[in-house]
Amino acid sequence: MSNSKNHITKDGIRIHEKNDFLGMAKAGRIAADILDEVGDAIVPGIKTLEIDSIIHDMVVKSGATSATVGYKGYKHSSCISINHVVCHGIPGPKTLNSGDILNIDVTVIVEGWYGDSSRMYCAGNISKKSERLIAVTHDALFKGIEQVKPGNTFGDIGFAIQNYAEANGMSVVRDFCGHGLGRVFHAPPNVLHYGVAGSGPVLEEGMFFTIEPMINLGKPDTKVLNDGWTAVTRDKSLSSQFEHSVGVTSKGFEIFTLSPKNLFFNY
Ligand code: MF3
Ligand code: CO
Ligand code: CO
């Protein structure tokens, strides 16, 4: 039963077939290429709307579609979240200052498959504490990814991330989570970035989902601004995030959004 293709588990999680991994790899590759290429534009003085417009052009040029344009009324091809912005920062007239850290999150649709990834960038030189936050967030994501294999649970992923972030004196945002994806943007399960080892649904070959921990230097609490999107830390502390789209294979995981130029984490 659990090996039959293309069914939905009792937790509502779609099990995909072998061929579907190829579709996800193609979509993930285009998201990763875009995040590789946009790096050159991240300099003090650029407006976040200009960054988004570069991303929009790259999405069009690649033959993909942006999953975020028109999504619940969102109008842009990226989310750009600077400093204490946790996620869903809206591109606009704000210019980058030297020392800013920012997350750029891009989701593309390619032949019906969704590739969703985000990374951290910095404008000019950043502080040591910003560097540490970014490194811990990156490594926390990979602690989570290392748990991805059949038989482990979603709680194992959350626990590994939380354990690592908190051991480094940082906190895990609870108000946003990763998600199943595939031929849809957001599907079950909610992939929590905290939790109890051994809890939650069991991972099975063919599940596709994102892991996208948001880690804060201060407290985990967030609030959404009046624009209805921008999430910020309540205590104004710096926040950081990395996101990969992954699939469960028979032995472990495939990362669909790996950087072809190895630029995912470049500090
Ligand atoms: N890409 C985000 C995620 O990781 C979702 C952005 S939705 C938007 O799930 F509308 F804010 F763009
Ligand atoms: Co996502
Ligand atoms: Co995303």
Side-chain angles (χ1 to χ4, degrees):
M1 171 60 190
S2 74
N3 280 328
S4 73
K5 41 191 181 179
N6 246 317
H7 67 279
I8 310 265
T9 68
K10 65 173 168 43
D11 300 298
I13 306 169
R14 179 169 293 281
I15 304 299
H16 299 85
E17 27 184 308
K18 277 265 154 9
N19 255 335
D20 300 342
F21 281 77
L22 300 176
M24 286 299 287
K26 219 163 154 184
R29 163 72 191 241
I30 288 176
D33 277 335
I34 290 169
L35 291 175
D36 277 2
E37 296 311 318
V38 78
D40 291 338
I42 310 308
V43 290
I46 193 169
K47 292 177 168 46
T48 55
L49 197 56
E50 294 172 329
I51 300 170
D52 183 70
S53 136
I54 293 168
I55 291 170
H56 174 79
D57 290 347
M58 291 192 288
V59 171
V60 171
K61 224 194 223 152
S62 70
T65 324
S66 168
T68 54
V69 174
Y71 176 77
K72 295 185 175 172
Y74 196 80
K75 292 182 170 57
H76 297 90
S77 302
S78 62
C79 296
I80 303 181
S81 304
I82 306 173
N83 295 337
H84 72 297
V85 179
V86 172
C87 63
H88 303 164
I90 304 173
K94 189 181 166 34
T95 60
L96 297 184
N97 295 313
S98 184
D100 282 348
I101 61 167
L102 55 148
N103 174 277
I104 302 182
D105 191 334
V106 170
T107 311
V108 293
I109 313 170
V110 179
E111 292 166 21
W113 296 100
Y114 285 68
D116 186 5
S117 184
S118 81
R119 308 178 191 169
M120 295 304 290
Y121 299 83
C122 44
N125 292 319
I126 64 169
S127 68
K128 276 274 168 277
K129 68 177 185 174
S130 297
E131 250 175 50
R132 231 190 113 239
L133 171 64
I134 292 170
V136 168
T137 309
H138 172 272
D139 293 351
L141 167 60
F142 276 83
K143 295 283 178 196
I145 291 174
E146 282 165 17
Q147 292 297 318
V148 176
K149 63 174 177 202
N152 274 6
T153 70
F154 281 94
D156 292 331
I157 297 172
F159 174 78
I161 292 168
Q162 178 182 12
N163 194 39
Y164 185 76
E166 291 180 355
N168 281 281
M170 301 178 191
S171 70
V172 176
V173 169
R174 315 296 166 103
D175 302 333
F176 300 91
C177 57
H179 48 93
L181 84 173
R183 285 192 188 278
V184 290
F185 197 173
H186 293 110
N190 287 332
V191 180
L192 306 183
H193 304 114
Y194 58 93
V196 176
S199 70
V202 176
L203 300 176
E204 293 178 40
E205 182 180 358
M207 290 179 175
F208 298 161
F209 52 87
T210 72
I211 308 178
E212 47 181 301
M214 287 139 275
I215 307 293
N216 299 344
L217 279 183
K219 296 207 171 79
D221 312 76
T222 73
K223 67 174 178 192
V224 175
L225 302 185
N226 285 332
D227 60 26
W229 287 102
T230 314
V232 300
T233 55
R234 281 191 176 267
D235 63 7
K236 303 270 169 60
S237 68
L238 288 176
S239 188
S240 156
Q241 179 179 29
F242 283 88
E243 173 177 25
H244 269 317
S245 296
V246 304
V248 184
T249 64
S250 61
K251 296 218 161 53
F253 56 83
E254 176 176 346
I255 302 176
F256 298 123
T257 44
L258 277 179
S259 164
K261 294 190 172 163
N262 204 19
L263 298 174
F264 188 71
F265 176 65
N266 45 8
Y267 304 94

